[in-house]
Structure formats: C-alpha cells, structure tokens
Amino acid sequence: MSGGDIAGLIAAGVFLLLVLLLAVPILKLGRVLDEVRKSIRSISDGATPLMDEVTATVSTTNQQLKKVDGIASNVSDASANISALSSLVAATVGSPLIKIAAFSYGVRSAFTARRKPAAGRRSR
C-alpha cells in the first residue's frame, strides 16, 4: 500500500462517517414529514363532514329566510290595509261624531243657560 492508497482509505472512512452523521437527521426529518402528512390527512378527513354540515345549515337557513321574507311581506301588506281601514273609519265616523259632539254641547249650553236665573233679576 502506498501513501495515496492510505489517504484514499482515510478519505473514504471520513466520508462514510460524514454520511452516517447526516443520515440520522435526514431519517428524523423523514419521520417528521410522515407525521405532518398524517396530520394533514386527518384534518382533511375531519373537514369534509364539517363542510357538508355547513352547506346543509346554510341551505336550511336560506329556506327559513325566504319564509321570514314572505311573512314580513304579508305583515307589511296587513299593516297597509289596517292603515287604510283606520283612515276610512276616521273619515266616515269621525266627521259625524264631531258634529254630534258640537250639537250636544250646544244643547247642554242652552239648557244650562236656561236653568240659571240672571243675577240682576228678581222673581215675584
């Protein structure tokens, strides 16, 4: 063996030692990546049913909102009808009631004035 062969053997040994030292972190990194892959798979498996439930909830909510919109529209129509009816009643009944009240006030005033004798008059 010559000096070059011994140097080659030493270089090969050092290279083998370097490969062994780098293999340990690479194996650990591989295990970490496997765990990350498993975690991502479990998250995606759990997210799919959740998205299905959210979709069903949103669909049901939209149906209920359509019903509420219909109810609100009907209430609006009913309140407009009630307003028109109250205006009609006020116009129909209100004016005669005011006239009756004015007439009854006049009659009461006339009877009250007739009952009280005048302050300056004496009866015989």
Side-chain angles (χ1 to χ4, degrees):
M1 279 198 153
S2 68
D5 290 337
I6 294 175
L9 282 175
I10 292 173
V14 169
F15 184 71
L16 180 65
L17 184 63
L18 180 66
V19 168
L20 289 175
L21 288 175
L22 289 178
V24 173
I26 290 174
L27 290 174
K28 287 184 180 182
L29 181 62
R31 289 184 196 138
V32 168
L33 291 177
D34 287 340
E35 289 297 320
V36 168
R37 185 176 40 140
K38 288 179 187 176
S39 297
I40 290 173
R41 184 176 296 140
S42 69
I43 289 172
S44 70
D45 290 344
T48 302
L50 183 63
M51 283 188 230
D52 292 340
E53 289 179 18
V54 167
T55 302
T57 302
V58 168
S59 175
T60 305
T61 303
N62 284 338
Q63 291 173 355
Q64 294 299 324
L65 285 176
K66 287 178 184 176
K67 289 180 183 179
V68 169
D69 188 37
I71 291 169
S73 175
N74 291 338
V75 167
S76 174
D77 292 342
S79 67
N81 290 340
I82 289 171
S83 174
L85 181 63
S86 68
S87 297
L88 178 67
V89 167
T92 305
V93 177
S95 178
L97 282 178
I98 291 172
K99 289 177 183 177
I100 290 171
F103 178 74
S104 66
Y105 176 75
V107 169
R108 268 187 307 178
S109 296
F111 280 128
T112 306
R114 202 165 183 206
R115 284 186 192 168
K116 292 182 182 178
R121 295 174 78 188
R122 287 187 169 173
S123 55
R124 292 187 196 206

